[in-house]
Amino acid sequence: MRFRSRPIYHQEFPLAPEDNADATPTEIGRRVFLQRGGAGVAVAFAASSAGGAWAAGPSKADANQVRLPLIQDANTEQKEDTPDANLPPDERIGYAIVGLGRLSLNQILPALAQCKYSKVTALVSGDRTKALRIAHQYGVPEVDIYDYQNFERLADNPRAQVVYIVLPNGMHKGFTVRAARIGKHVLREKPMANNAADCQAMVDAMRRANRKLMIAYRSQYEPMDRMISKMVKEGKLGSLREFIAGNSQNVGDPTQWRLKKSLAGGGAMPDIGLYCLNAARFLSGEEPQEVLATVYQPTGDPRFVEVEQSVQFILRFPSGLTATCISSYASHESRFFRLQGAQGWVEMDPAFGYNGLRMRYGMLVDGKNATTEVQIDPQNQFAREIDHMSVCARDDIVPHTPGEEGLQDQRIVDAIYKSARTGRAVKLAQITAPTRGPDPLEETF
Ligand code: NAD
């Protein structure tokens, strides 16, 4: 499969005078649109089947043209007349959605309706009335509604090949092991579990069952994140130096499961801090060797009786890269990261969200600082990740974000809490990057 995306345009932002003292007015604040294949613009563009390339420079015809570093998603190479690859419903991989909470209702079920290779075929819920209503809405027959007790009856339902677990974190392990026993592939929400031992148990159970296990790290299927990962791999930023990230929001209801240790595993860290941690790893392509962390759990706030309000952690990577991350459950919504290299930086702000993401990068261009905004038509991250899982299940491919990816994050989360407890840096066992399946933007199927 090739994921298609539409044309990208890059917008230069006016830079603060101190950032760009040499620039002339004609060289800043100008917008460059790219059409497919570069047609219609005076910017030389070279793309390769491996995923696009950087501009060689401006056309001589445009004297005012600034030489811009351009990136194009590989898939913009596709022709308009490429046949639609949507599979007919009876050939799609079927999903049993376990847990009908906010994420399932507001994101996952609507995303399944946008998928090309996937469809919802069963629902598992503790609330039969709600399940009947949702089943009616999405065309799931009543006979394909299950509850948490009779979940194993899914074994007799060949229409549901994948179980998508969207329950509180503390319930992920139990349902993954149960799904393995009845021979289903598993797509699982993040975080994988509450500790590394549980993650390992799940990886082992799925391996024994010879079924696929994928963690729903949707950002890894999001086009801007993919583009940044590609920039890093191609060395566009030079040697990586610093990664800075934050993911914060205010939580309200003190009775919700996210604030109960047994169900959530922790507070801000496993829920939203995890995005910073995972991004530091997958964008850099490196694994940390040491972590230093603090957590803050105020007294007197009913929300933080069992779990931390906020976490701050620094990861050290063998190359010298450091990642400095913060996450809070008591700050106004704020989601961002910036990756700095010797020759450039790239940032997303907002980052990590379902939509409305923005990406910019900065580097020297012809000896001058240039800042470029990249815009890509938004794509549904959930639909992309679900379709990726479907292909992996169908074609026996290791998912791009397999169970080992969640296990590695959890090992680091465990070390973050240990560091916060002991007040010391914690060394991480030397781990090579988990075996990841194909880059979701470079697959062909
Ligand atoms: P939610 O509270 O809205 O839904 C949880 C569901 O679990 C509900 O249907 C609830 O009835 C059911 N449930 C069963 N037993 C329960 C129990 N003992 N306590 C509480 N609920 C119980 O939660 P959500 O926001 O849908 O989150 C579900 C999972 O999805 C979590 O693992 C969360 O981390 C993850 N999540 C991921 C993203 C993402 O962007 N990938 C976003 C939000 C949530």
Side-chain angles (χ1 to χ4, degrees):
M1 170 178 142
R2 289 180 78 79
F3 292 104
R4 287 199 299 166
S5 72
R6 299 187 184 85
I8 303 162
Y9 73 81
H10 301 249
Q11 180 177 5
E12 272 190 290
F13 276 87
L15 298 173
E18 63 273 23
D19 292 335
N20 198 24
D22 294 330
T24 64
T26 55
E27 290 174 319
I28 57 176
R30 211 171 26 74
R31 185 182 267 205
V32 177
F33 286 88
L34 286 184
Q35 303 295 328
R36 245 170 241 280
V41 292
V43 178
F45 180 80
S48 72
S49 60
W54 292 62
S59 157
K60 293 269 190 276
D62 183 353
N64 292 325
Q65 186 70 53
V66 175
R67 181 179 161 128
L68 287 175
L70 301 176
I71 312 167
Q72 187 180 20
D73 187 309
N75 307 301
T76 56
E77 281 283 85
Q78 290 218 323
K79 302 227 167 22
E80 292 287 2
D81 59 358
T82 302
D84 187 356
N86 285 6
L87 285 178
D90 58 349
E91 290 178 30
R92 295 182 182 210
I93 298 291
Y95 284 72
I97 307 299
V98 187
L100 298 179
R102 270 164 302 181
L103 189 70
S104 292
L105 299 191
N106 299 336
Q107 304 299 331
I108 292 170
L109 284 162
L112 272 155
Q114 293 183 35
C115 283
K116 293 178 168 187
Y117 312 107
S118 321
K119 62 183 175 184
V120 55
T121 50
L123 302 175
V124 182
S125 171
D127 182 340
R128 177 131 186 113
T129 309
K130 189 203 277 185
L132 280 167
R133 179 168 52 81
I134 304 302
H136 181 67
Q137 194 180 336
Y138 286 94
V140 175
E142 197 175 326
V143 67
D144 293 330
I145 298 176
Y146 304 82
D147 60 34
Y148 301 131
Q149 284 70 44
N150 68 18
F151 172 85
E152 275 72 15
R153 275 187 32 221
L154 271 169
D156 303 323
N157 184 346
R159 295 172 299 286
Q161 294 104 316
V162 181
V163 166
Y164 191 164
I165 300 170
V166 202
L167 290 167
N169 312 340
M171 300 173 73
H172 291 177
K173 179 191 170 194
F175 277 89
T176 301
V177 171
R178 289 172 72 181
R181 283 199 201 113
I182 59 170
K184 299 295 179 185
H185 302 290
V186 174
L187 175 56
R188 300 264 327 277
E189 263 314 318
K190 44 55 61 183
M192 189 170 177
N194 292 356
N195 57 65
D198 280 358
C199 294
Q200 186 67 62
M202 284 183 263
V203 168
D204 294 344
M206 294 300 296
R207 200 173 284 149
R208 277 195 301 274
N210 196 24
R211 300 285 92 181
K212 303 294 172 212
L213 173 59
M214 172 171 149
I215 313 302
Y217 284 115
R218 61 180 166 74
S219 293
Q220 295 208 35
Y221 301 87
E222 190 284 314
M224 286 180 175
D225 288 88
R226 298 304 318 151
M227 190 172 284
I228 294 170
S229 164
K230 183 172 161 54
M231 287 172 78
V232 170
K233 279 187 196 136
E234 292 178 349
K236 304 303 182 203
L237 304 180
S239 299
L240 299 182
R241 303 291 196 224
E242 297 91 17
F243 177 79
I244 308 154
N247 194 358
S248 299
Q249 64 191 47
N250 269 308
V251 293
D253 176 12
T255 65
Q256 62 182 292
W257 68 261
R258 280 185 166 77
L259 301 172
K260 306 288 169 219
K261 191 155 178 79
S262 62
L263 285 173
M269 180 63 233
D271 189 23
I272 52 177
L274 191 70
Y275 286 87
C276 306
L277 167 59
N278 192 251
R281 293 179 49 243
F282 83 79
L283 293 175
S284 69
E286 297 184 34
E287 294 300 328
Q289 60 186 11
E290 191 178 38
V291 60
L292 179 64
T294 62
V295 298
Y296 177 58
Q297 188 171 351
T299 51
D301 188 327
R303 296 175 297 174
F304 305 114
V305 174
E306 296 190 27
V307 300
E308 79 277 359
Q309 171 188 296
S310 60
V311 59
Q312 302 76 31
F313 58 93
I314 300 173
L315 305 171
R316 287 189 188 284
F317 295 81
S319 69
L321 170 70
T322 58
T324 305
C325 305
I326 55 168
S327 181
S328 173
Y329 258 172
S331 292
H332 184 69
E333 188 170 299
S334 170
R335 304 185 176 114
F336 66 91
F337 67 73
R338 182 182 273 223
L339 180 56
Q340 302 184 158
Q343 288 160 28
W345 55 261
V346 58
E347 69 178 17
M348 286 182 69
D349 186 357
F352 310 134
Y354 302 150
N355 45 47
L357 306 176
R358 290 186 69 187
M359 169 184 166
R360 300 194 316 155
Y361 62 86
M363 56 189 61
L364 283 181
V365 176
D366 285 348
K368 299 181 183 105
N369 271 328
T371 303
T372 302
E373 175 154 3
V374 176
Q375 293 190 2
I376 306 175
D377 279 358
Q379 297 187 24
N380 189 308
Q381 300 166 43
F382 291 95
R384 284 165 69 94
E385 76 181 9
I386 294 168
D387 270 343
H388 178 72
M389 177 69 193
S390 294
V391 173
C392 292
R394 191 190 67 189
D395 296 348
D396 195 15
I397 296 169
V398 178
H400 185 64
T401 51
E404 288 80 355
E405 175 77 353
L407 169 61
Q408 173 66 345
D409 269 350
Q410 190 60 51
R411 285 186 182 124
I412 300 166
V413 171
D414 288 357
I416 285 170
Y417 283 126
K418 183 175 177 189
S419 173
R421 254 191 338 268
T422 60
R424 293 167 182 270
V426 172
K427 295 239 182 297
L428 293 156
Q430 271 310 301
I431 290 170
T432 50
T435 308
R436 292 191 177 104
D439 184 314
L441 292 184
E442 290 173 4
E443 301 167 343
T444 305
F445 53 88

